[in-house]
Amino acid sequence: AVAEATLAARRTGLPLDAALAVALHGLPAAPTLPTVKGTLIAVVGPGEWAQRVAQTVAETVGADPKQVALVTSGTVGRNKPERLARSAEEAAAVAPGWRRYRPAVVAVAVPDGGGGGRWAASVLEALGPSVVLGVADATAKAEDVAAFAGAVGGVDALALTNLGRTVSPASVLHTAIPVALLDGQPATAARWAATVVDAVGACA
């Protein structure tokens, strides 16, 4: 879609961002984030990034960012969250209390190493979230992002980070996984267009 929009812009004289907005309008739609009590949104990815994105999501759905839960098998820094679980079994036991009064958001920190994806998948299965967002670095290859999504048991949408560090931010679209967030902002066609134009300008 990006290549086609670039050609269309050259052929018609339209501004590139306008041509891109039209071309990207038909992207797969990410699921709407639930905002009612009793729902649970899981953000899965590298620990620090998963927590950052989860806090952004919490603000979006009207939850308290300070109440974002964390499920991790690794170490926790000074800012230990109030809601913390260390295993799939513990997460399953305490999660009902997290979402009793409002929509809850949980960050699932994927451990480093070959078994990290399987561990995260077991946590997500135990939690039974309403929506799963996978955190993906925009500099990663589309194949690696797809492999990550498969390793954790599948995701409903992606939250892309580090967009300013790549000249091909739209390459992740080859995964066919909907993108919900671009550096914490809703991934609208207009925002996608602006992101691609910025990347093109950076490498011009």
Side-chain angles (χ1 to χ4, degrees):
V2 174
E4 292 173 0
T6 302
L7 290 173
R10 291 172 180 170
R11 186 173 60 251
T12 63
L14 282 173
L16 179 57
D17 57 346
L20 282 166
V22 172
L24 296 171
H25 189 71
L27 290 175
T32 301
L33 297 177
T35 59
V36 298
K37 68 179 182 180
T39 54
L40 178 67
I41 303 166
V43 179
V44 57
E48 183 178 349
W49 279 110
Q51 288 181 276
R52 289 184 187 181
V53 173
Q55 289 170 347
T56 297
V57 170
E59 293 177 347
T60 301
V61 300
D64 185 351
K66 296 180 180 178
Q67 292 297 309
V68 167
L70 172 64
V71 185
T72 180
S73 62
T75 58
V76 180
R78 293 181 181 178
N79 298 323
K80 182 178 178 180
E82 295 180 18
R83 298 174 172 184
L84 176 67
R86 293 290 192 174
S87 66
E89 294 77 16
E90 185 179 351
V94 297
W98 295 344
R99 51 184 169 185
R100 182 167 296 144
Y101 304 108
R102 63 183 64 193
V105 183
V106 57
V108 179
V110 180
D112 294 331
R118 289 192 300 274
W119 182 87
S122 70
V123 170
L124 292 172
E125 183 178 3
L127 288 172
S130 308
V131 173
V132 178
L133 295 182
V135 181
D137 193 312
T139 64
K141 296 179 181 178
E143 296 86 350
D144 292 336
V145 174
F148 157 75
V152 299
V155 299
D156 296 301
L158 297 171
L160 290 187
T161 62
N162 282 331
L163 285 159
R165 296 180 60 190
T166 177
V167 296
S168 55
S171 63
V172 72
L173 297 176
H174 292 295
T175 65
I177 302 173
V179 177
L181 298 173
L182 298 172
D183 275 340
Q185 300 298 317
T188 61
R191 195 172 300 280
W192 260 120
T195 299
V196 174
V197 169
D198 287 346
V200 171
C203 65

